[in-house]
Amino acid sequence: LHAFAFVRFRGVEVALRVGRDAVLAGELAGLAPAVAEVGQLRERLAQLHDKRRRDAEEAIRLKAEAEKRARADEIARHLESARKAIGRQRFDDALEALRQASALDPNASGMAELVASAEAGKAALEAEAKKRQEIDTQLNQAPQHLTKGHLTKAIVITDVLLGLDPNHPAGKLLHE
């Protein structure tokens, strides 16, 4: 008859067949190869576990690098979009692209300069629009005063108009 001894290592159960006579006689020398094999299996499992851990760590590192590159590429796309929008004087679009880039990295290289440029451009366009509106208002009022015979008011308005835009052709014509 034979007896079986079971050894469990990391979920693997290994059956060791032990002869009854050998156990009774105290001759356990027959178990030495099985015990050595269990030791080798343990060592191999430990190596596989270490390799799996290293592979997982490498995968995490590679994923982090890929995400960092993707974020940098996205920031660069937003900044380039802002540069192009500034060049086309689409300052609201530029500021939106810069807001998106800032959400990814508020300290991105060149961000502050682009924001300042877009804000200054937007302010200049708004000032120019306001100036044009004022010019249009003055242009509409001057002829009305002339037709009513209010020459002094018409001259003041044309002076204001020429103050806003010294080269404005209608302002020059009205002033003469």
Side-chain angles (χ1 to χ4, degrees):
L1 292 173
H2 294 284
F4 291 93
F6 293 95
V7 177
R8 180 179 282 284
F9 178 71
R10 296 194 184 183
V12 177
E13 195 167 89
V14 178
L16 301 176
R17 192 170 142 184
V18 180
R20 185 174 146 214
D21 294 340
V23 171
L24 294 176
E27 297 180 16
L28 298 177
L31 290 177
V35 170
E37 185 178 347
V38 168
Q40 290 171 351
L41 287 173
R42 283 182 179 168
E43 184 178 319
R44 180 67 182 137
L45 283 172
Q47 289 171 352
L48 290 174
H49 177 70
D50 287 344
K51 182 178 181 339
R52 186 174 169 189
R53 181 188 48 77
R54 286 190 308 273
D55 289 347
E57 288 171 352
E58 179 68 7
I60 290 168
R61 186 188 66 74
L62 291 173
K63 181 181 177 187
E65 284 180 14
E67 288 171 351
K68 185 178 178 180
R69 276 193 308 274
R71 177 189 266 106
D73 290 346
E74 188 173 355
I75 291 168
R77 280 192 305 276
H78 289 305
L79 294 178
E80 183 58 27
S81 175
R83 282 185 195 92
K84 288 179 180 178
I86 289 170
R88 294 186 313 262
Q89 294 189 352
R90 297 188 52 107
F91 300 109
D92 286 334
D93 293 346
L95 290 169
E96 176 59 23
L98 292 167
R99 184 196 61 73
Q100 291 173 357
S102 179
L104 296 170
D105 181 4
N107 300 318
S109 177
M111 175 91 65
E113 294 83 5
L114 286 171
V115 169
S117 177
E119 287 176 346
K122 182 178 180 179
L125 274 184
E126 289 171 351
E128 182 65 27
K130 187 175 180 180
K131 180 179 163 182
R132 287 183 195 280
Q133 185 179 12
E134 182 64 26
I135 289 171
D136 289 344
T137 301
Q138 298 298 328
L139 275 175
N140 289 334
Q141 290 178 0
Q144 292 171 3
H145 289 298
L146 282 174
T147 57
K148 292 180 182 178
H150 302 132
L151 188 57
T152 307
K153 287 183 181 180
I155 291 171
V156 169
I157 288 175
T158 55
D159 286 343
V160 170
L161 178 62
L162 290 173
L164 292 170
D165 185 357
N167 297 318
H168 195 280
K172 286 182 176 182
L173 182 63
L174 285 172
H175 189 65
E176 293 174 1

